[in-house]
Amino acid sequence: MVRAMTMDDYDDVYALWMSIHGFGIRSVDDSREGIERFIKRNPGLSAVDVEDGKIVGAILCGHDGRRACLYHVCVSEEYRMHGIGKKMVLFCYEALKKEKINKVCLNAFVTNEVGNKFWQKMGWTLRDDMNYYDHTLNEENLTIFNK
């Protein structure tokens, strides 16, 4: 069952993130305080999927008033290929439409073969007409990848 993520879900969502091979966690942004800030700024937009009494999927979803972005889209490896990812994405789409947001973006690591196949199957367009830039404002916000 897909529902909106709340801060009560943080520990279970964090455990899910840590269980996924190759998943990148940011030391500041993905901390309890970082996720609480994100959820408060974007209430009702992020999603979790609960199966067998546990969280098996999660998406962080937010927008800036013009464009939305999906972050940390994941499904527990043993629950993949059951439509959970698609249901969560559709939940986020509907929540964003209520906010009158018309476009959604995301970043997927090139090495994330499972994720990239999923987004292509969902009809997302891989852009080759622009460059992606970022600039780090907090050097302590490190990305650590699960092994």
Side-chain angles (χ1 to χ4, degrees):
M1 174 192 81
V2 177
R3 63 169 173 77
M5 179 181 171
T6 69
M7 278 310 296
D8 291 339
D9 298 319
Y10 178 78
D11 290 334
D12 293 333
V13 169
Y14 190 86
L16 173 63
W17 293 341
M18 296 306 292
S19 75
I20 296 176
H21 173 75
F23 201 83
I25 299 292
R26 295 198 74 37
S27 57
V28 176
D29 293 339
D30 297 325
S31 68
R32 181 177 298 280
E33 296 77 18
I35 297 302
E36 184 170 24
R37 186 172 48 252
F38 186 84
I39 296 286
K40 281 183 178 178
R41 188 177 192 287
N42 300 284
L45 299 181
S46 295
V48 294
D49 185 83
V50 180
E51 303 292 334
D52 304 320
K54 65 180 179 176
I55 291 176
V56 300
I59 297 179
L60 294 177
C61 176
H63 72 82
D64 60 10
R66 178 182 170 135
R67 183 169 294 181
C69 195
L70 303 181
Y71 305 91
H72 287 355
V73 178
C74 64
V75 174
S76 179
E77 293 177 12
E78 62 267 24
Y79 284 86
R80 291 182 183 163
M81 304 304 294
H82 292 97
I84 291 170
K86 182 176 181 177
K87 286 190 294 185
M88 290 189 305
V89 170
L90 295 176
F91 174 94
C92 292
Y93 288 174
E94 291 306 311
L96 291 167
K97 286 178 186 178
K98 290 176 185 171
E99 298 278 325
K100 300 194 183 325
I101 301 300
N102 299 306
K103 191 155 188 155
V104 187
C105 65
L106 63 85
N107 296 316
F109 289 107
V110 173
T111 57
N112 182 353
E113 292 178 26
V114 171
N116 285 298
K117 286 179 185 176
F118 173 78
W119 295 117
Q120 290 168 10
K121 186 176 177 182
M122 288 288 297
W124 284 61
T125 303
L126 177 62
R127 303 276 308 251
D128 63 3
D129 61 336
M130 60 175 41
N131 295 319
Y132 174 80
Y133 294 90
D134 71 12
H135 182 80
T136 300
L137 298 175
N138 181 348
E139 296 294 331
E140 295 176 6
N141 192 26
L142 304 173
T143 301
I144 301 157
F145 292 94
N146 296 338
K147 297 195 181 226

